[in-house]
Structure formats: structure tokens, C-alpha cells
Amino acid sequence: MKRADVVELFSRLRELDPHPTTELDYTTPFELLVAVVLSAQATDVGVNKATRKLYPVANTPQAILDLGEEGLKRYISTIGLFNAKAKNVIALCRILVEQYGGEVPRTREALEALPGVGRKTANVVLNTAFGHPTIAVDTHIFRVSNRTGLAPGKDVRAVEDKLEKTVPPEFKQDAHHWLILHGRYVCKARKPDCPQCVIRDLCRYKDKTPAEPERKKAAPQKTAAKKPKRRLG
């Protein structure tokens, strides 16, 4: 995609949503970290339902440690892979308490060293909690980047590296959120909503979905005239 088209693409997405953010519910960097760990192979809606019950009871590393692994599972059992996630959350809480005074570290290296935290999770926390212009590539961003021609790549790291070079500095802080929301609600996996897409003329996707044809109103059905009843007698 040409640089002028990239600028136009993000300008349009910014006009639609000037201040995008994550759809995960959180009030502190720690709440965000736990929510992102829980969101792997799960929906934000499902995670929010669980954390709305969990966080009023335990929303600090020590409080979750006090719950214990089994206690934590009771709150997150509706989320996929909850057994492994509970184990990771307890382990990362222990490290935060013992090594960081209960605070979430602000470097990529320290974040990625936490159990259950990979590059994508670290990028989300760095971007959303600490204001770093990082780009976390999930399935939505991977799909949008490849379909549109914005930053095609064979894997998420290749797409991330290309986005880092392609996205102009003025858009980098929010690019992650714009692309996720666009992929989630417009450029959907099975059937992208191309007719409603604000960047469809910039997009390089060959198999754009056509607009639904307007249905013609059915003509009123003609009914046979009723014959007058014959009088008997």
C-alpha cells in the first residue's frame, strides 16, 4: 500500500473513532495485565463477565494470591483454558509481589518473563497502560493487515515488524486499537462487510463482498371475486 493511502486509511479510522481503546474492563495496569492474560483464545465479553465478579473481591497481586489457585478458578471457570490461566496468573502474581513490590513492570523484557505473558500481551500492556506506541498483532490485526495490503506477512511477528515500519508516527499510539476494532466489527473473518467499510477503496482485497440487492416489494396478491350466495327456496 502506498504511503499516501496508509495515511488516508488511518485518517479515516481516526475520524470514526478519535480516541479508541481496549474493550477489556480495567482500572489499573494490573487489572489490564490479568484481563489480557485471560483473553487468550477467549472473547473480551467473556473475560469482562468474569473480571466483573473477580476484581471487586481481588484486584491486586496479593489479593489474588490470597484466593489461591482453586479460589481463582471459581471466578474464571467460564473462560476457555481456565485451569492453565489460573496457574499462570497465580505464578505471575507471586513474581510481582516478590520482585516488583506488587507493581506491574514497565519494560518488555520484564513483562515477557512473566508466566502466561507473550509478546502480544506485553505490547497491549505497554500500549494501553503505559502509553508506549507498540502494536500488538492478534488475529484481527493479522487478517486486516493481510487483506488490505497494509502490512502483509506470513506470521504475526512479520506483520508486527512491517506495521512498525509502515504506520506513520502520528498514528502509532492508536493503530493497534483501530485495526482490532475494524477487524472485529467490519473486516470480519467469514464475511467482511465491505459495503459498509470506510477504507474499501484503499483496500487491496480481491474478494470484496458486494452490497446486498434491494428486495423488491411483493405485488399484492389478487384474490378471486366471491360469487354471490344462491338463495334457496
Side-chain angles (χ1 to χ4, degrees):
M1 189 177 289
K2 296 178 181 179
R3 183 168 180 79
D5 289 343
V6 174
V7 172
E8 180 63 20
L9 180 151
F10 283 107
S11 295
R12 293 181 191 180
L13 294 179
R14 179 173 62 186
E15 187 176 351
L16 276 180
D17 189 355
H19 305 291
T21 189
T22 178
E23 293 186 318
L24 290 169
D25 293 338
Y26 77 98
T27 57
T28 66
F30 174 71
E31 287 186 357
L32 177 63
L33 173 62
V34 171
V36 179
V37 170
L38 295 177
S39 71
Q41 299 182 47
T43 65
D44 288 358
V45 172
V47 172
N48 288 339
K49 286 181 179 179
T51 56
R52 282 173 193 151
K53 296 177 181 179
L54 171 64
Y55 288 159
V57 175
N59 68 338
T60 66
Q62 187 58 60
I64 288 183
L65 281 177
D66 292 341
L67 277 181
E69 189 172 325
E70 293 304 315
L72 177 59
K73 286 180 184 180
R74 288 198 291 270
Y75 289 96
I76 66 171
S77 61
T78 54
I79 301 173
L81 307 175
F82 72 92
N83 285 310
K85 291 175 181 178
K87 185 177 181 179
N88 284 332
V89 169
I90 291 294
L92 74 82
C93 285
R94 185 169 290 110
I95 292 173
L96 293 181
V97 169
E98 294 175 355
Q99 298 183 24
Y100 298 101
E103 298 295 321
V104 176
R106 293 171 176 254
T107 68
R108 177 188 303 285
E109 294 74 20
L111 285 168
E112 289 187 20
L114 297 172
V117 178
R119 186 177 181 85
K120 185 189 78 173
T121 298
N123 278 339
V124 173
V125 174
L126 289 170
N127 177 282
T128 306
F130 301 131
H132 294 206
T134 53
I135 300 175
V137 179
D138 68 349
T139 56
H140 297 301
I141 293 182
F142 183 80
R143 180 173 64 254
V144 171
S145 297
N146 276 284
R147 270 185 182 168
T148 60
L150 173 64
K154 292 183 179 180
D155 54 51
V156 293
R157 185 57 191 272
V159 169
E160 181 187 336
D161 290 343
K162 194 162 287 187
L163 285 170
E164 287 290 344
K165 297 176 182 178
T166 303
V167 179
E170 64 178 298
F171 299 112
K172 272 194 176 176
Q173 180 61 45
D174 294 321
H176 160 83
H177 300 295
W178 283 319
L179 294 175
I180 283 180
L181 294 172
H182 189 68
R184 184 173 289 164
Y185 296 111
V186 181
C187 195
K188 293 172 279 191
R190 292 186 179 180
K191 188 179 180 183
D193 192 3
C194 299
Q196 302 302 318
C197 176
V198 297
I199 59 171
R200 59 188 175 274
D201 57 315
L202 306 172
C203 174
R204 302 293 190 268
Y205 187 48
K206 294 180 180 179
D207 301 318
K208 291 187 176 70
T209 54
E212 293 285 343
E214 291 187 9
R215 293 182 178 178
K216 293 182 179 179
K217 291 184 179 179
Q221 291 183 350
K222 293 181 179 180
T223 56
K226 291 183 179 180
K227 294 180 180 180
K229 292 182 180 179
R230 291 176 61 189
R231 290 188 179 181
L232 299 177

